[in-house]
Amino acid sequence: MRKHLLTALLVCLLCMVTEVSAQASGFTLSERTAETITLTYDGDALLAAAAYSEDGRMLETVTSQHTVTVPCGEGYVRAFALDPVTYAPLSPAWDSREAEGKKVLVACFSYTGSTMKIAGHIASALDADLFRITAAEPYTDDILNYYDPSTRAYIERYDDSARPAIAGELPTLDDYDVIFVGYPIWYGRAPKIIRTFLESGSFSSKTVIPFCTSGSSSIDNNELRASAPDALWRSGRRFSGGASRETVVSWLDSFDLE
């Protein structure tokens, strides 16, 4: 009788129109495989979860203490933490569709560290992965001699075919939905190593958001788009090298990112 009552209560809760929060207090996504989702709850609670098909049909309900594993397949999972005595919900519903969110990569080329500082603000605010683009043949301080035509950066700036090699293994782009691409402005343009990165793999259907650091030069989205024409480009932003975290976060708030 108790089991049937709990099942009926679970179905009722999971069918209710209730606030969905990927950050439901106490829940941790412990593991996700192709077939199952395992959740744990930080506290004394009864976990009640249900698996749904892609079209919203409830397929199976599961209850357990502290940790619950739910078959999901191609569908999704919703779960509640319940008081073990009264069965009252202890948190908003956990929903795997919201918990997955958009996975974000921040890829940044930075020589002096100013652009990397901005990249760090973005990565920490969005809980994103951070990748530092590093030249296989390191640049030297002569790049700061902006009007010396003998410097490597100057030569690359006027050579449309220049594609400086990137050191190390590049991130797997398939793992990300949104990719921020950051760089300093050199001689009025993005360094050519940014073109190398954008041409390193497929950006098809990826949202790409550029950002740069400069004292005065504006950001030019159009120049870079040719290197990733299938990407979903968003308008970028120029920052001063000393831009605060608050300034960066305020800009991020203009995008529909979780």
Side-chain angles (χ1 to χ4, degrees), residues 22 95-104 177 258:
D95 191 304
S96 62
R97 295 165 299 178
E98 295 294 324
E100 289 169 357
K102 297 179 183 295
K103 191 167 185 184
V104 180
D177 305 294
E258 293 294 335

Side-chain angles (χ1 to χ4, degrees), residues 170-214:
L170 296 176
T172 303
L173 299 178
D174 288 345
D175 292 342
Y176 301 97
D177 305 294
V178 180
I179 302 170
F180 285 82
V181 179
Y183 51 90
I185 294 291
W186 284 358
Y187 301 96
R189 302 174 71 178
K192 288 295 175 58
I193 197 168
I194 297 301
R195 303 284 292 272
T196 305
F197 175 75
L198 291 172
E199 294 167 11
S200 67
S202 174
F203 283 78
S204 177
S205 300
K206 307 294 182 185
T207 296
V208 176
I209 306 173
F211 64 97
C212 69
T213 54
S214 172

Side-chain angles (χ1 to χ4, degrees), residues 18-217:
T18 186
E19 178 186 1
V20 176
S21 172
Q23 303 298 326
S25 175
F27 276 109
T28 300
L29 177 59
S30 299
E31 181 181 18
R32 175 153 196 173
T33 70
E35 300 298 330
T36 64
I37 283 178
T38 299
L39 293 171
T40 59
Y41 186 79
D42 184 18
D44 185 17
L46 176 67
L47 303 188
Y52 292 83
S53 64
E54 288 184 297
D55 60 3
R57 291 180 295 109
M58 187 182 291
L59 302 176
E60 184 173 348
T61 60
V62 180
T63 58
S64 182
Q65 298 284 343
H66 307 301
T67 301
V68 62
T69 298
V70 189
C72 59
E74 296 299 321
Y76 61 95
V77 168
R78 296 190 75 208
F80 280 94
L82 305 177
D83 183 288
V85 176
T86 66
Y87 297 154
L90 298 176
S91 76
W94 185 95
D95 191 304
S96 62
R97 295 165 299 178
E98 295 294 324
E100 289 169 357
K102 297 179 183 295
K103 191 167 185 184
V104 180
L105 172 69
V106 182
C108 175
F109 173 71
S110 181
Y111 183 76
T112 66
S114 295
T115 314
M116 197 65 189
K117 179 181 177 182
I118 305 300
H121 291 329
I122 296 172
S124 63
L126 298 177
D127 193 22
D129 291 341
L130 181 58
F131 173 72
R132 185 161 192 165
I133 300 170
T134 305
E137 179 185 348
Y139 289 92
T140 60
D141 285 345
D142 67 1
I143 65 167
L144 302 178
N145 300 324
Y146 292 115
Y147 300 104
D148 183 348
S150 68
T151 65
R152 175 183 167 193
Y154 186 99
I155 294 169
E156 289 176 355
R157 191 272 187 232
Y158 292 101
D159 179 3
D160 285 340
S161 66
R163 296 293 186 273
I166 297 174
E169 186 176 350
L170 296 176
T172 303
L173 299 178
D174 288 345
D175 292 342
Y176 301 97
D177 305 294
V178 180
I179 302 170
F180 285 82
V181 179
Y183 51 90
I185 294 291
W186 284 358
Y187 301 96
R189 302 174 71 178
K192 288 295 175 58
I193 197 168
I194 297 301
R195 303 284 292 272
T196 305
F197 175 75
L198 291 172
E199 294 167 11
S200 67
S202 174
F203 283 78
S204 177
S205 300
K206 307 294 182 185
T207 296
V208 176
I209 306 173
F211 64 97
C212 69
T213 54
S214 172
S216 59
S217 299

